[in-house]
Amino acid sequence: MQVHKNFKNIEKVVYGRGSFDMMESILSERRNDNAKFILFVVDMYFKGKDLEKRIPLHEGDEIRFIDVDPEEPTTELIDALRDEVLAAKGIPAGVVGIGGGSIMDIAKAVSLMFTNEGSSTLYQGLNLIKKLGIYHLGVPTISGTGAEVSMTAVLTGPEKKLGLKCDWTVFNQVILDPELIASVPTDKWFYTGMDTYIHCVESENGILNNAFSHAYAEQSLKLCKDIYLGENAGQTPENDDKLMVASLMGGLSLTYSEVGVCHALSYGLSKILGEKHCYANCLAFQHLEDYYPEGVAEFRTMLAKHNVVLPTGLSKNWTPEQINAMAHVAYNLHHMWNHAIGTDWKEKITIELIEDLFRRF
Ligand code: NAD
Ligand code: ZN
């Protein structure tokens, strides 16, 4: 019997310029749950900025500013945040995340960990979470990862970089306000936007692609082409409106299909060398013309158009042990190879072949 994926989508989405200010009324329906306070997790970038003043903070609410730059979200960070808040105030009525993919994942993960005992390392994987988490609302402020819509909260643990993935991970509410991404620096705008582009290329090129995932990828790719290659390419309000939607649709496309070779390699780079997800994807994608010829050619055009120069020759400074370790991380993402290469992927993909791919870097 064929088993089809049965996915949970975000319960409610509001989209539009200025929609951030609807948060007060949206939260008012939830504030009486549990210990009757809201936990806000906010990207440190917004500390002292105008947006901070617009956060509907009530007496008793808890706000944490998190610097996401040193490292991607860890299981340690989630466990500590949960333990501290729980000990001080109990279970919040809800969690609100305001920031990029890192903050989206922190909000999603911590909302689950308030009701699931022990360390988040116990739940890294598919459907390992035992109980429904608490209400969580996401406000993306940089677009591309699709973390605002995906059913996973990616965490780096002592042993693996793997998501807490289940129906309950998905946000109850998302606020998509394109005004919020205007301040994203150009380099990050490029790398994170390219995550969406790569999601779509990978989703389209593999055995799990279907009419449903294709419809989202096709539209998301069209938007990406407008934003990065069109007549009015660049960081403009019109393009920000589009990028927020492209990110969401890219995330939906891969949800109904799968990512592929680039993400497998990228996870290796992130886990072993600590490279950030979107940048790591860009580093990898430029070398994958054998797998994604059209996508990589177009990606190179986008790099040139925006004067982005990615480093090459990196692997010369990597030890054989590091390359081997990265290859193992990548190889173990079986679902990605299965999608990209086919069910007989183990006959075609070996650790040695993946090591050779890393030596192209
Ligand atoms: P991020 O959250 O790591 O933020 C990147 C940088 O942009 C940070 O310096 C941040 O301070 C800054 N920033 C964010 N919004 C800004 C704004 N409006 N103005 C100025 N600066 C701003 O970025 P990301 O690339 O969105 O997320 C990467 C993370 O997402 C990784 O941890 C990755 O593992 C995760 N991810 C998750 C999924 C998923 O489905 N859950 C998918 C892909 C990636
Ligand atoms: Zn990605």
mmCIF file of all heavy atoms in Angstrom, residues 70-72 156 161 265-281 283 311 314 318 326 361:
data_model
loop_
_atom_site.group_PDB
_atom_site.id
_atom_site.type_symbol
_atom_site.label_atom_id
_atom_site.label_comp_id
_atom_site.label_asym_id
_atom_site.label_seq_id
_atom_site.Cartn_x
_atom_site.Cartn_y
_atom_site.Cartn_z
ATOM 1 N N PRO A 70 26.144 33.606 17.031
ATOM 2 C CA PRO A 70 27.270 32.709 17.346
ATOM 3 C C PRO A 70 27.057 31.287 16.827
ATOM 4 O O PRO A 70 27.966 30.680 16.323
ATOM 5 C CB PRO A 70 27.340 32.731 18.875
ATOM 6 C CG PRO A 70 26.434 33.804 19.346
ATOM 7 C CD PRO A 70 25.521 34.163 18.240
ATOM 8 N N GLU A 71 25.852 30.775 16.964
ATOM 9 C CA GLU A 71 25.608 29.396 16.514
ATOM 10 C C GLU A 71 24.123 29.187 16.222
ATOM 11 O O GLU A 71 23.276 29.931 16.699
ATOM 12 C CB GLU A 71 26.069 28.384 17.575
ATOM 13 C CG GLU A 71 25.410 28.608 18.921
ATOM 14 C CD GLU A 71 25.945 27.706 20.024
ATOM 15 O OE1 GLU A 71 26.866 26.912 19.773
ATOM 16 O OE2 GLU A 71 25.412 27.784 21.145
ATOM 17 N N GLU A 72 23.834 28.157 15.427
ATOM 18 C CA GLU A 72 22.442 27.823 15.150
ATOM 19 C C GLU A 72 21.822 27.262 16.433
ATOM 20 O O GLU A 72 22.548 26.817 17.326
ATOM 21 C CB GLU A 72 22.385 26.827 13.991
ATOM 22 C CG GLU A 72 22.898 27.473 12.709
ATOM 23 C CD GLU A 72 22.575 26.680 11.453
ATOM 24 O OE1 GLU A 72 22.486 25.458 11.515
ATOM 25 O OE2 GLU A 72 22.400 27.331 10.401
ATOM 26 N N THR A 156 20.670 21.753 16.792
ATOM 27 C CA THR A 156 21.958 21.073 16.818
ATOM 28 C C THR A 156 22.153 20.530 18.220
ATOM 29 O O THR A 156 22.112 21.280 19.191
ATOM 30 C CB THR A 156 23.098 22.051 16.461
ATOM 31 O OG1 THR A 156 22.783 22.637 15.184
ATOM 32 C CG2 THR A 156 24.427 21.341 16.359
ATOM 33 N N LYS A 161 22.467 17.075 14.181
ATOM 34 C CA LYS A 161 21.691 18.255 13.821
ATOM 35 C C LYS A 161 20.431 17.701 13.189
ATOM 36 O O LYS A 161 20.455 17.179 12.070
ATOM 37 C CB LYS A 161 22.467 19.133 12.819
ATOM 38 C CG LYS A 161 21.692 20.375 12.404
ATOM 39 C CD LYS A 161 22.366 21.251 11.380
ATOM 40 C CE LYS A 161 21.342 22.310 10.931
ATOM 41 N NZ LYS A 161 21.796 23.149 9.845
ATOM 42 N N LEU A 265 24.628 17.941 1.830
ATOM 43 C CA LEU A 265 26.005 18.429 1.994
ATOM 44 C C LEU A 265 26.045 19.596 2.983
ATOM 45 O O LEU A 265 26.953 19.707 3.816
ATOM 46 C CB LEU A 265 26.590 18.877 0.650
ATOM 47 C CG LEU A 265 26.690 17.822 -0.459
ATOM 48 C CD1 LEU A 265 27.412 18.415 -1.670
ATOM 49 C CD2 LEU A 265 27.409 16.563 0.001
ATOM 50 N N SER A 266 25.060 20.459 2.874
ATOM 51 C CA SER A 266 24.993 21.631 3.735
ATOM 52 C C SER A 266 24.909 21.244 5.216
ATOM 53 O O SER A 266 25.544 21.866 6.074
ATOM 54 C CB SER A 266 23.784 22.462 3.299
ATOM 55 O OG SER A 266 23.400 23.354 4.284
ATOM 56 N N TYR A 267 24.129 20.206 5.507
ATOM 57 C CA TYR A 267 24.040 19.741 6.898
ATOM 58 C C TYR A 267 25.410 19.276 7.382
ATOM 59 O O TYR A 267 25.775 19.498 8.543
ATOM 60 C CB TYR A 267 23.012 18.602 7.021
ATOM 61 C CG TYR A 267 21.612 19.084 7.345
ATOM 62 C CD1 TYR A 267 20.996 20.067 6.581
ATOM 63 C CD2 TYR A 267 20.910 18.550 8.421
ATOM 64 C CE1 TYR A 267 19.716 20.510 6.879
ATOM 65 C CE2 TYR A 267 19.623 18.991 8.727
ATOM 66 C CZ TYR A 267 19.034 19.966 7.955
ATOM 67 O OH TYR A 267 17.769 20.407 8.251
ATOM 68 N N GLY A 268 26.178 18.639 6.512
ATOM 69 C CA GLY A 268 27.535 18.209 6.873
ATOM 70 C C GLY A 268 28.404 19.404 7.228
ATOM 71 O O GLY A 268 29.092 19.406 8.252
ATOM 72 N N LEU A 269 28.343 20.429 6.394
ATOM 73 C CA LEU A 269 29.128 21.647 6.637
ATOM 74 C C LEU A 269 28.724 22.320 7.938
ATOM 75 O O LEU A 269 29.566 22.813 8.694
ATOM 76 C CB LEU A 269 28.885 22.652 5.509
ATOM 77 C CG LEU A 269 29.763 22.605 4.275
ATOM 78 C CD1 LEU A 269 29.233 23.588 3.237
ATOM 79 C CD2 LEU A 269 31.201 22.955 4.623
ATOM 80 N N SER A 270 27.430 22.377 8.202
ATOM 81 C CA SER A 270 26.943 23.026 9.425
ATOM 82 C C SER A 270 27.352 22.232 10.656
ATOM 83 O O SER A 270 27.814 22.793 11.642
ATOM 84 C CB SER A 270 25.425 23.174 9.411
ATOM 85 O OG SER A 270 25.035 24.065 8.410
ATOM 86 N N LYS A 271 27.161 20.921 10.591
ATOM 87 C CA LYS A 271 27.416 20.099 11.784
ATOM 88 C C LYS A 271 28.907 20.054 12.113
ATOM 89 O O LYS A 271 29.300 20.210 13.262
ATOM 90 C CB LYS A 271 26.852 18.680 11.560
ATOM 91 C CG LYS A 271 27.107 17.700 12.690
ATOM 92 C CD LYS A 271 26.262 18.011 13.935
ATOM 93 C CE LYS A 271 26.626 17.113 15.111
ATOM 94 N NZ LYS A 271 26.893 17.808 16.345
ATOM 95 N N ILE A 272 29.745 19.869 11.110
ATOM 96 C CA ILE A 272 31.180 19.670 11.387
ATOM 97 C C ILE A 272 31.943 20.999 11.440
ATOM 98 O O ILE A 272 32.840 21.170 12.256
ATOM 99 C CB ILE A 272 31.819 18.713 10.340
ATOM 100 C CG1 ILE A 272 31.042 17.391 10.273
ATOM 101 C CG2 ILE A 272 33.306 18.465 10.619
ATOM 102 C CD1 ILE A 272 30.938 16.607 11.583
ATOM 103 N N LEU A 273 31.598 21.941 10.574
ATOM 104 C CA LEU A 273 32.373 23.191 10.535
ATOM 105 C C LEU A 273 31.597 24.405 11.035
ATOM 106 O O LEU A 273 32.114 25.521 11.044
ATOM 107 C CB LEU A 273 32.873 23.454 9.101
ATOM 108 C CG LEU A 273 33.800 22.371 8.521
ATOM 109 C CD1 LEU A 273 34.166 22.686 7.089
ATOM 110 C CD2 LEU A 273 35.074 22.239 9.357
ATOM 111 N N GLY A 274 30.348 24.193 11.424
ATOM 112 C CA GLY A 274 29.576 25.279 12.026
ATOM 113 C C GLY A 274 29.106 26.346 11.045
ATOM 114 O O GLY A 274 28.710 27.438 11.464
ATOM 115 N N GLU A 275 29.140 26.041 9.734
ATOM 116 C CA GLU A 275 28.660 27.046 8.773
ATOM 117 C C GLU A 275 27.152 27.221 8.908
ATOM 118 O O GLU A 275 26.423 26.258 9.142
ATOM 119 C CB GLU A 275 28.979 26.610 7.332
ATOM 120 C CG GLU A 275 30.443 26.631 6.964
ATOM 121 C CD GLU A 275 31.056 28.026 6.888
ATOM 122 O OE1 GLU A 275 30.338 29.011 7.125
ATOM 123 O OE2 GLU A 275 32.269 28.102 6.624
ATOM 124 N N LYS A 276 26.655 28.456 8.710
ATOM 125 C CA LYS A 276 25.217 28.730 8.804
ATOM 126 C C LYS A 276 24.483 28.089 7.623
ATOM 127 O O LYS A 276 25.012 28.045 6.503
ATOM 128 C CB LYS A 276 24.973 30.237 8.794
ATOM 129 C CG LYS A 276 25.504 30.947 10.026
ATOM 130 C CD LYS A 276 24.663 30.589 11.246
ATOM 131 C CE LYS A 276 25.158 31.242 12.508
ATOM 132 N NZ LYS A 276 25.039 32.678 12.527
ATOM 133 N N HIS A 277 23.247 27.680 7.897
ATOM 134 C CA HIS A 277 22.471 26.901 6.929
ATOM 135 C C HIS A 277 22.428 27.510 5.517
ATOM 136 O O HIS A 277 22.768 26.849 4.535
ATOM 137 C CB HIS A 277 21.043 26.718 7.459
ATOM 138 C CG HIS A 277 20.137 25.982 6.527
ATOM 139 N ND1 HIS A 277 20.161 24.618 6.397
ATOM 140 C CD2 HIS A 277 19.203 26.430 5.646
ATOM 141 C CE1 HIS A 277 19.267 24.255 5.484
ATOM 142 N NE2 HIS A 277 18.672 25.327 5.016
ATOM 143 N N CYS A 278 21.995 28.763 5.427
ATOM 144 C CA CYS A 278 21.755 29.349 4.091
ATOM 145 C C CYS A 278 23.073 29.587 3.359
ATOM 146 O O CYS A 278 23.179 29.338 2.149
ATOM 147 C CB CYS A 278 20.954 30.643 4.221
ATOM 148 S SG CYS A 278 19.376 30.378 5.043
ATOM 149 N N TYR A 279 24.071 30.041 4.072
ATOM 150 C CA TYR A 279 25.393 30.258 3.473
ATOM 151 C C TYR A 279 25.992 28.915 3.043
ATOM 152 O O TYR A 279 26.546 28.790 1.942
ATOM 153 C CB TYR A 279 26.292 30.977 4.478
ATOM 154 C CG TYR A 279 27.654 31.336 3.951
ATOM 155 C CD1 TYR A 279 27.786 32.188 2.854
ATOM 156 C CD2 TYR A 279 28.807 30.841 4.546
ATOM 157 C CE1 TYR A 279 29.045 32.526 2.363
ATOM 158 C CE2 TYR A 279 30.068 31.180 4.058
ATOM 159 C CZ TYR A 279 30.179 32.016 2.966
ATOM 160 O OH TYR A 279 31.423 32.352 2.484
ATOM 161 N N ALA A 280 25.852 27.912 3.910
ATOM 162 C CA ALA A 280 26.371 26.577 3.592
ATOM 163 C C ALA A 280 25.704 26.032 2.326
ATOM 164 O O ALA A 280 26.355 25.408 1.481
ATOM 165 C CB ALA A 280 26.147 25.631 4.770
ATOM 166 N N ASN A 281 24.418 26.279 2.186
ATOM 167 C CA ASN A 281 23.720 25.842 0.969
ATOM 168 C C ASN A 281 24.319 26.494 -0.264
ATOM 169 O O ASN A 281 24.498 25.848 -1.298
ATOM 170 C CB ASN A 281 22.246 26.243 1.033
ATOM 171 C CG ASN A 281 21.416 25.233 1.767
ATOM 172 O OD1 ASN A 281 21.808 24.086 1.907
ATOM 173 N ND2 ASN A 281 20.263 25.660 2.240
ATOM 174 N N LEU A 283 27.350 27.701 -0.584
ATOM 175 C CA LEU A 283 28.692 27.138 -0.800
ATOM 176 C C LEU A 283 28.594 25.817 -1.556
ATOM 177 O O LEU A 283 29.386 25.535 -2.447
ATOM 178 C CB LEU A 283 29.400 26.889 0.541
ATOM 179 C CG LEU A 283 29.889 28.111 1.317
ATOM 180 C CD1 LEU A 283 30.548 27.667 2.629
ATOM 181 C CD2 LEU A 283 30.875 28.939 0.497
ATOM 182 N N PRO A 311 33.490 31.950 -1.721
ATOM 183 C CA PRO A 311 34.857 31.428 -1.703
ATOM 184 C C PRO A 311 34.949 30.043 -2.340
ATOM 185 O O PRO A 311 33.980 29.281 -2.303
ATOM 186 C CB PRO A 311 35.175 31.359 -0.204
ATOM 187 C CG PRO A 311 33.863 31.287 0.478
ATOM 188 C CD PRO A 311 32.886 32.019 -0.387
ATOM 189 N N LEU A 314 38.143 25.993 -0.484
ATOM 190 C CA LEU A 314 38.030 25.797 0.974
ATOM 191 C C LEU A 314 38.552 24.432 1.423
ATOM 192 O O LEU A 314 39.148 24.304 2.482
ATOM 193 C CB LEU A 314 36.556 25.914 1.397
ATOM 194 C CG LEU A 314 35.875 27.270 1.219
ATOM 195 C CD1 LEU A 314 34.388 27.145 1.516
ATOM 196 C CD2 LEU A 314 36.505 28.289 2.162
ATOM 197 N N TRP A 318 40.797 21.644 4.732
ATOM 198 C CA TRP A 318 40.076 20.658 5.549
ATOM 199 C C TRP A 318 40.913 19.387 5.671
ATOM 200 O O TRP A 318 41.546 18.955 4.705
ATOM 201 C CB TRP A 318 38.720 20.315 4.903
ATOM 202 C CG TRP A 318 37.780 21.486 4.806
ATOM 203 C CD1 TRP A 318 37.848 22.665 5.488
ATOM 204 C CD2 TRP A 318 36.626 21.593 3.953
ATOM 205 N NE1 TRP A 318 36.802 23.491 5.125
ATOM 206 C CE2 TRP A 318 36.042 22.854 4.185
ATOM 207 C CE3 TRP A 318 36.018 20.737 3.034
ATOM 208 C CZ2 TRP A 318 34.882 23.289 3.523
ATOM 209 C CZ3 TRP A 318 34.867 21.150 2.368
ATOM 210 C CH2 TRP A 318 34.318 22.427 2.618
ATOM 211 N N MET A 326 32.069 14.963 7.517
ATOM 212 C CA MET A 326 30.985 15.668 6.802
ATOM 213 C C MET A 326 30.254 14.709 5.868
ATOM 214 O O MET A 326 29.029 14.758 5.747
ATOM 215 C CB MET A 326 31.560 16.856 6.006
ATOM 216 C CG MET A 326 32.000 17.994 6.905
ATOM 217 S SD MET A 326 32.284 19.516 6.009
ATOM 218 C CE MET A 326 33.848 19.174 5.240
ATOM 219 N N PHE A 361 34.816 21.783 -3.042
ATOM 220 C CA PHE A 361 34.516 23.067 -2.388
ATOM 221 C C PHE A 361 35.759 23.953 -2.334
ATOM 222 O O PHE A 361 36.845 23.481 -2.096
ATOM 223 C CB PHE A 361 34.014 22.846 -0.958
ATOM 224 C CG PHE A 361 32.590 22.365 -0.891
ATOM 225 C CD1 PHE A 361 32.137 21.328 -1.696
ATOM 226 C CD2 PHE A 361 31.697 22.947 -0.017
ATOM 227 C CE1 PHE A 361 30.825 20.866 -1.608
ATOM 228 C CE2 PHE A 361 30.378 22.507 0.080
ATOM 229 C CZ PHE A 361 29.960 21.466 -0.717
#
